[in-house]
Amino acid sequence: MSIRLENVGIAVRDLEATIAFFTDLGLSVVGRDTVSGEWTDTAVGLDGNHANIAMLQTPDGAGQLELFEYIHPEAIETEPTLPNEIGMHRVAFSVDDLDEALAIAARHGCHPLRGVANYRDVYKLTYVRGPSGILVMLAQDLSRNPDRT
């Protein structure tokens, strides 16, 4: 049996704002749809499932996010997860320039939880709270850009 990661699905409160955040970071929209019906009820395990969805892809084509905004049933607001809570933790991206990525995030009102860390002069990284409270890790590999510490 072979297995590969298809995508990470994230329910959001504002699909357009979330698309804008991730596309500004460099992902591209590869598809959009509105889904409903028996097949979605069965696949998702939720009666009356009706959602607007968008599939986003990283520039290298290796990673995808499926964003969905529920039309029905009504989305349930939850508190944003904390880094130490059990369950879906975060989505992580490698970036060439962490400072540029943080400037883009800031234009969307998204800032580091605490600051920028340097892990053994190998990675410069941080977590930001993205749209709908999504934890997003941004990391710059310093071995690829040693002059950008």
Side-chain angles (χ1 to χ4, degrees):
M1 180 190 98
S2 67
I3 188 169
R4 69 181 176 91
L5 180 63
E6 183 64 28
N7 64 61
V8 174
I10 305 173
V12 300
R13 99 178 37 91
D14 184 335
L15 187 61
E16 297 309 318
T18 308
I19 289 171
F21 173 79
F22 285 114
T23 56
D24 282 355
L25 282 174
L27 279 72
S28 58
V29 176
V30 294
R32 292 183 74 137
D33 202 357
T34 298
V35 297
S36 65
E38 185 178 333
W39 76 270
T40 62
D41 292 359
T42 300
V44 176
L46 187 63
D47 290 336
N49 184 49
H50 188 187
N52 292 319
I53 64 170
M55 187 67 70
L56 282 68
Q57 183 170 281
T58 57
D60 64 2
Q64 292 189 332
L65 293 180
E66 181 179 350
L67 305 175
F68 38 96
E69 180 181 43
Y70 276 94
I71 298 167
H72 184 269
E74 187 174 319
I76 301 168
E77 286 287 338
T78 60
E79 292 295 318
T81 58
L82 297 174
N84 64 331
E85 289 181 337
I86 301 298
M88 182 68 184
H89 187 236
R90 55 141 171 83
V91 58
F93 295 99
S94 294
V95 296
D96 291 339
D97 185 334
L98 183 60
D99 294 331
E100 181 182 352
L102 288 173
I104 291 167
R107 289 196 299 267
H108 292 270
C110 305
H111 304 281
L113 298 184
R114 181 166 292 166
V116 174
N118 183 313
Y119 176 72
R120 299 182 178 182
D121 291 327
V122 176
Y123 283 100
K124 196 165 69 164
L125 63 134
T126 190
Y127 283 20
V128 300
R129 183 74 64 190
S132 297
I134 301 166
L135 277 176
V136 179
M137 186 183 92
L138 300 169
Q140 178 181 335
D141 183 344
L142 297 175
S143 68
R144 292 185 184 181
N145 295 312
D147 59 323
R148 295 184 162 247
T149 58

